[in-house]
Amino acid sequence: MELNNIVETEKCFEEDSKQIDSPESLEAVRLKYLGKKGKVADIMAKFREVPVELKKEFGQKINTLKSKIENCIETIKESLAEKATEREIKNTKMFDYSLPVDTKTGSLNPRTIIQKQVCDIFKNMGFVVEDGCEVETEYNNFEAVNVPKNHPARDMQDTFWLSNGQLLKTQTSAAQNRIIRTYGPECKVIFPGRVFRNEQLDAKHENTFFQLEGVVVGKNVTVANLIYFEKAMLKALFKKDIEVRLRPGFFPFTEPSYEMDARCPFCSGRGCHTCGGSGWLELCPCGMIHPNVLKMAGVDPEQYNGFAFGLGFDRLVMIRTNLDDIRYLNSNNLKVMSQFKTKM
Ligand code: FA5
């Protein structure tokens, strides 16, 4: 009687196993046959009732059935796992390294954009664009621009000194001597560059920022020439005539020295958020090159003179874009940077 039951159970299992198509149905079949209250356990519980002469045969058959079911379940489990892996591979989007890069996600730093625009404007007015070093000698950064050792003007720009006695240049003016020496007494050169000052950071002050320096040397150069070039640059940049005014300034390398302000291009002088209500934007420190600077660059100040000016690109970007904190420009914050593609 129980031997027949074993044969029946085996047939039933064969039928049930054909229906297995998922880990869930596999587990249901396993419990049905091998679970504590499953069919195999049921049959084993009847062992005591089997006549003695059949016990050996019964024991072997039920053990064979149990192993068969266990092996079969293990095989089905492996096959289901294999199929799942195949499905996963099929559904995974393969990365194609040969596809073109999605360039839409990047954008130039607005400072880089404005630097290029300003340099192009000066190039169109006949200026040569030069480069400068970031590590400079004390001589070029200070002495050659008329700031001797112990001169109080050195305190105007808190300096990062290097252990070899050199420094990170605090102003693009550090290249004046080399540029004038290289181009001689008749030149029109601009030189953009990154400069460093050991400054307390705030919304308007960075310790690493970008300037542009311009020098014009020749015969009978005047302040009127300086104003002409600055106004021409502003007109090309803001696409309209911009009034400027000069205030007295102080720089050891220019005499006289000025601060050039531009009439705020956003409110035309009525006063707005960008100009802080004053109607003017402080834009361009400048002046006539000090005779000592020309002399140190090998130019005779009796025969030649010239003007020099500076421009801070970071502050210019703030003006152009209404950016309220300069520190964003060094932050590499993509959310901020990507907004300027359209604003510049
Ligand atoms: C100078 O650096 C002079 N070398 C400029 C100059 C050149 C004058 C030639 C005369 C003739 P100043 O320290 O003011 O000057 O800096 C020039 C510009 O750099 C400022 O107008 C401002 O736009 C920018 N700037 C100065 N300090 C900072 C700072 N901490 N963070 C960001 N921008 C700054």
Side-chain angles (χ1 to χ4, degrees):
M1 171 69 186
E2 291 309 325
L3 286 176
N4 287 343
N5 202 358
I6 292 176
V7 176
E8 267 313 297
T9 305
E10 188 174 356
K11 275 190 194 153
C12 269
F13 173 74
E14 278 167 5
E15 281 311 306
D16 281 348
S17 65
K18 284 182 199 156
Q19 309 302 319
I20 297 174
D21 58 1
S22 67
E24 292 75 27
S25 54
L26 175 71
E27 181 60 5
V29 170
R30 191 189 70 78
L31 287 174
K32 180 173 174 185
Y33 290 89
L34 299 176
K36 267 190 197 162
K37 294 180 181 169
K39 285 185 180 278
V40 172
D42 265 1
I43 300 171
M44 279 178 156
K46 305 254 171 63
F47 186 74
R48 260 183 288 137
E49 298 161 18
V50 175
V52 182
E53 64 278 12
L54 293 177
K55 271 193 191 303
K56 189 177 172 196
E57 188 188 356
F58 176 88
Q60 282 172 345
K61 288 219 161 126
I62 188 70
N63 280 340
T64 309
L65 173 66
K66 190 175 174 216
S67 319
K68 184 178 168 183
I69 294 175
E70 280 172 348
N71 289 340
C72 191
I73 285 199
E74 203 46 43
T75 311
I76 295 172
K77 192 174 172 184
E78 282 167 14
S79 139
L80 283 175
E82 256 173 47
K83 279 186 192 148
T85 312
E86 278 167 19
R87 255 198 320 273
E88 210 172 288
I89 291 173
K90 227 173 158 181
N91 292 339
T92 305
K93 276 193 191 153
M94 300 304 276
F95 188 81
D96 184 350
Y97 289 92
S98 67
L99 283 174
V101 178
D102 180 5
T103 48
K104 277 178 279 177
T105 51
S107 64
L108 289 174
N109 190 299
R111 212 168 32 201
T112 312
I113 299 173
I114 214 155
Q115 176 172 321
K116 187 173 180 319
Q117 289 172 350
V118 173
C119 286
D120 284 347
I121 293 168
F122 277 110
K123 265 199 275 185
N124 288 339
M125 295 193 286
F127 280 73
V128 176
V129 183
E130 261 294 346
D131 211 356
C133 327
E134 290 182 348
V135 171
E136 264 295 358
T137 58
E138 182 180 357
Y139 177 80
N140 279 335
N141 198 80
F142 291 121
E143 268 131 276
V145 282
N146 205 29
V147 190
K149 271 201 170 69
N150 305 320
H151 192 287
R154 286 204 180 191
D155 296 341
M156 288 164 73
Q157 299 171 1
D158 209 346
T159 309
F160 288 111
W161 291 94
L162 305 180
S163 52
N164 62 2
Q166 294 190 322
L167 48 84
L168 297 180
K169 79 172 168 208
T170 61
Q171 51 181 351
T172 40
S173 306
Q176 272 193 22
N177 182 275
R178 193 168 39 238
I179 298 283
I180 299 174
R181 211 169 258 292
T182 308
Y183 285 88
E186 307 228 1
C187 63
K188 263 160 66 187
V189 189
I190 51 164
F191 30 110
R194 181 159 57 168
V195 302
F196 309 85
R197 290 184 197 172
N198 195 359
E199 298 241 15
Q200 193 76 35
L201 302 192
D202 62 31
K204 285 199 166 170
H205 292 86
E206 254 295 353
N207 53 23
T208 304
F209 55 99
F210 287 73
Q211 289 184 334
L212 175 93
E213 184 97 356
V215 290
V216 170
V217 182
K219 287 193 167 155
N220 303 317
V221 177
T222 65
V223 178
N225 301 140
L226 163 65
I227 295 172
Y228 167 81
F229 281 117
E230 289 305 312
K231 282 190 78 167
M233 183 274 289
L234 290 172
K235 184 175 180 180
L237 193 63
F238 289 99
K239 315 259 183 292
K240 62 176 175 183
D241 272 320
I242 307 265
E243 190 189 342
V244 298
R245 74 176 180 191
L246 293 186
R247 285 180 292 116
F250 170 74
F251 299 100
F253 29 89
T254 45
E255 180 56 41
S257 300
Y258 306 103
E259 291 288 351
M260 185 182 288
D261 299 335
R263 184 70 90 180
C264 178
F266 300 101
C267 63
S268 303
R270 285 185 298 278
C272 67
H273 168 78
T274 307
C275 62
S278 73
W280 293 95
L281 295 167
E282 193 177 315
L283 206 65
C284 175
C286 54
M288 301 305 289
I289 301 175
H290 196 291
N292 287 352
V293 174
L294 291 174
K295 231 184 280 173
M296 279 184 275
V299 172
D300 179 1
E302 297 295 328
Q303 288 194 57
Y304 298 96
N305 69 345
F307 65 77
F309 60 88
L311 199 63
F313 283 127
D314 305 63
R315 301 258 177 93
L316 200 52
V317 168
M318 291 176 82
I319 292 170
R320 282 279 299 270
T321 62
N322 265 328
L323 186 70
D324 60 2
D325 195 318
I326 198 170
R327 288 166 289 192
Y328 282 125
L329 295 175
N330 284 345
S331 72
N332 281 336
N333 182 329
L334 290 182
K335 274 191 189 157
V336 177
M337 291 299 122
S338 57
Q339 296 172 31
F340 295 118
K341 271 193 265 186
T342 50
K343 274 201 170 182
M344 296 292 295

